[in-house]
Amino acid sequence: MAALSLFLDVPLTREAHELLYAYMEDPSPDKVYLDCRGCRIDTGEAWVCPTVLRTLQLVAGDPTQDYEQLPVCGLPEFTRAATELAIGRESQAILENRVRILQPVGAPLKARGSGVRDAIKADATVDIPGLGMGFSSILAFWCRLYLAGGVQTVGVTGALRIGAEFLRRWHCQHTPGPARVYIAVHQLDFFQGIFHDAGFVDICPYLYWDLERLDVALEDFLEVLESSPEGSIILLHGPEGTGLTPRQWEEVAQVMERKHLFPFFDIPGQGLASGDLNKDAWALRHFVARGFELFCAQSFSRIFGLYDEPVGNLTVVARDNVALTRVRSQLEKVAAALWGSPTCFSARVIATVLNNPALRSKWKQSLRAMAEKIMLIRAKLKEKLRILGTPGSWEHITTQLGTHSFMGLLPVQVAYLMKHKHVYLHTDGQVSMCSINSHNMDYVAQSIHEAVVATMLGLSQHPEHCKGQ
């Protein structure tokens, strides 16, 4: 008799992609999946910025590139450009003139002058009146990073994971256990696993979107912040697409500052909400300007179209350069245990685009065009629902920004869509606007119309009575 497997009692789980599995197993030719993570072109295929495609070929064919392993903290040109993209090139956290010079493992500092070498050996703090003036560009780079610095990660999930690991070990050490973590309820399923696996046990949901009023739930959000324990970690996912105005973000920042709450930003699509990279980063930069210490996980998959080459960046903003040096050393330790060294190719592509003015300009144009396309999809869907006479107001479709949108559908309406129309979306009615195109727009609009009418008439079990209503 053959021995039984040691893993016989391991349960089967499909929680991570339950919606996708259901869609893939559906034999209907009309099925539509409304939870695509990346940007799409009208055929439904993944969008890749044309500038990025050309840069991919350029980097791949560069005979001067070597294949040496990157340092644990990643490609310096990438982390610098990514950090500047997030908090702004002119951010005070970057332009601080008093810096701590740190040489990461595996990245030799090519600077001339015994004074610089002596400062590095002594781990000293030096004054630089004019940042980068009289120093090599490499040295200027390291100087500019301290008060704010980045760590290259394996996708945005990697950035969230090493950030969570660090906070569990070193944040709020005076408390008996890890700090409480607050995550937006519609992102709880995904982010809760990351923080739970990092050792957090007290994880609470919060709402910033009122599913009944179909508007920002600022009062509810502020109430949660006011009642949270001091030192709690607040995960702020996709601030560019929350719908909060700058004035409302100021209110959020005031409460978090007074309560000593730690902001952990997660930016999956900077530039895809308004089409303006700076405007989409306003909330993060406001927190930096107020003097917060914070983490920010950045994703580049959507905005560059590098879905199969995931690369992320964890931007760290600290109160002073000494604290930042220590934080990055601990993050480096965590990253070394998780993946040793991050991948190089996609980081080089992104760094090439961001650091070349001509390529960066063309990339920004493509990004704005994609953002405008998403806005147009929103407008067309709203108009089709109006023409169909779908009950209710659908203004919230165009007042929201970004790649995702709350449709204002009830769970019973979502269930109707999946069961009777083979349209797959989350139970909270959130959809990826990039999943809608000219080929399925009419079907999606008609399906939503039928779901709403069926619910109102109590005919969810008899869909044939809803057509043409």
Side-chain angles (χ1 to χ4, degrees):
M1 181 176 177
L4 295 177
S5 170
L6 294 173
F7 310 111
L8 184 64
D9 296 327
V10 175
L12 176 67
T13 179
R14 300 175 57 173
E15 293 178 2
H17 301 287
E18 185 176 3
L19 191 66
L20 179 60
Y21 285 137
Y23 166 79
M24 293 174 64
E25 293 171 359
D26 189 339
S28 173
D30 299 323
K31 63 181 180 180
V32 180
Y33 185 65
L34 295 182
D35 190 37
C36 295
R37 295 298 177 89
C39 295
R40 303 278 160 173
I41 59 178
D42 199 51
T43 61
E45 298 174 308
W47 170 79
V48 181
C49 173
T51 303
V52 174
L53 282 175
R54 290 193 292 272
T55 308
L56 282 166
Q57 298 171 351
L58 179 68
V59 172
D62 186 355
T64 67
Q65 296 293 348
D66 58 43
Y67 294 91
E68 290 289 344
Q69 192 176 49
L70 287 180
V72 176
C73 286
L75 186 70
E77 300 94 316
F78 166 77
T79 55
R80 172 183 59 80
T83 300
E84 290 182 350
L85 184 70
I87 66 176
R89 189 168 295 180
E90 304 303 320
S91 172
Q92 188 62 34
I94 288 181
L95 297 177
E96 180 68 37
N97 288 345
R98 188 171 181 82
V99 299
R100 185 179 183 84
I101 299 177
L102 175 71
Q103 181 178 7
V105 176
L109 188 62
K110 301 176 182 178
R112 296 179 180 178
S114 59
V116 173
R117 288 194 295 270
D118 292 342
I120 294 173
K121 292 177 181 178
D123 197 24
T125 300
V126 297
D127 288 303
I128 303 177
L131 185 62
M133 299 300 291
F135 289 83
S136 71
S137 59
I138 300 285
L139 176 59
F141 154 65
W142 287 114
C143 292
R144 292 181 65 185
L145 273 186
Y146 281 87
L147 282 196
V151 177
Q152 182 184 334
T153 62
V154 181
V156 70
T157 305
L160 291 162
R161 180 57 188 265
I162 66 169
E165 287 273 2
F166 172 87
L167 292 173
R168 194 264 300 166
R169 296 180 187 182
W170 300 107
H171 183 59
C172 289
Q173 297 180 62
H174 59 279
T175 59
R180 179 176 293 178
V181 179
Y182 288 87
I183 302 173
V185 66
H186 68 281
Q187 292 291 335
L188 196 61
D189 289 345
F190 176 70
F191 291 108
Q192 180 174 245
I194 295 174
F195 281 85
H196 184 271
D197 289 347
F200 288 93
V201 293
D202 192 0
I203 302 175
C204 301
Y206 71 84
L207 280 171
Y208 66 79
W209 180 262
D210 192 316
L211 295 175
E212 293 183 1
R213 293 190 301 109
L214 302 178
D215 199 0
V216 173
L218 179 63
E219 296 78 11
D220 296 336
F221 187 19
L222 293 177
E223 184 178 344
V224 170
L225 296 177
E226 289 282 8
S227 62
S228 61
E230 183 174 310
S232 295
I233 300 164
I234 313 297
L235 186 67
L236 300 168
H237 172 77
E240 70 280 1
T242 59
L244 271 68
T245 65
R247 176 57 185 164
Q248 290 171 327
W249 274 116
E250 289 175 0
E251 293 184 56
V252 171
Q254 288 171 7
V255 175
M256 291 185 65
E257 188 173 29
R258 175 163 44 81
K259 295 281 293 184
H260 303 289
L261 306 178
F262 185 85
F264 196 147
F265 284 86
D266 170 45
I267 301 183
Q270 182 180 349
L272 289 174
S274 67
D276 186 319
L277 289 163
N278 295 323
K279 187 175 181 179
D280 284 3
W282 190 94
L284 169 63
R285 295 177 185 181
H286 177 70
F287 274 72
V288 173
R290 290 184 74 104
F292 276 88
E293 292 187 297
L294 57 82
F295 284 175
C296 175
Q298 296 170 263
S299 173
F300 298 88
S301 296
R302 293 179 191 171
I303 60 178
F304 278 84
L306 297 172
Y307 310 107
D308 61 342
E309 293 277 349
V311 60
N313 185 62
L314 181 65
T315 292
V316 181
V317 179
R319 193 64 52 85
D320 56 63
N321 48 38
V322 175
L324 182 64
T325 300
R326 293 174 176 174
V327 171
R328 290 184 85 241
S329 72
Q330 291 294 335
L331 289 170
E332 184 176 15
K333 180 179 178 181
V334 175
L338 288 175
W339 53 72
S341 174
T343 57
C344 184
F345 184 66
S346 53
R348 289 195 189 280
V349 171
I350 295 169
T352 300
V353 172
L354 292 180
N355 292 316
N356 182 300
L359 295 176
R360 183 186 178 105
S361 177
K362 293 179 180 178
W363 168 69
K364 288 170 64 176
Q365 292 174 13
S366 296
L367 199 62
R368 178 179 289 275
M370 176 54 67
E372 291 173 350
K373 176 188 174 183
I374 295 171
M375 295 177 193
L376 184 60
I377 291 173
R378 291 178 178 275
K380 286 183 176 180
L381 181 60
K382 183 182 76 171
E383 178 63 12
K384 287 187 178 295
L385 292 173
R386 185 194 67 80
I387 293 173
L388 289 168
T390 309
S393 172
W394 300 94
E395 289 297 321
H396 58 280
I397 296 178
T398 52
T399 57
Q400 297 175 77
L401 293 172
T403 57
H404 287 70
S405 177
F406 290 104
M407 294 301 297
L409 297 171
L410 301 173
V412 66
Q413 293 167 342
V414 173
Y416 177 97
L417 285 169
M418 290 195 284
K419 180 179 180 180
H420 299 296
K421 306 303 296 183
H422 311 280
V423 176
Y424 292 84
L425 65 160
H426 288 286
T427 54
D428 61 5
Q430 190 182 44
V431 305
S432 166
M433 301 309 296
C434 296
S435 302
I436 303 175
N437 53 55
S438 64
H439 303 286
N440 61 26
M441 172 79 74
D442 290 337
Y443 183 76
V444 170
Q446 181 64 40
S447 297
I448 292 173
H449 172 77
E450 291 182 21
V452 173
V453 172
T455 304
M456 294 184 66
L457 298 178
L459 300 175
S460 59
Q461 301 301 319
H462 305 283
E464 66 275 5
H465 296 300
C466 305
K467 296 180 180 180
Q469 294 290 328

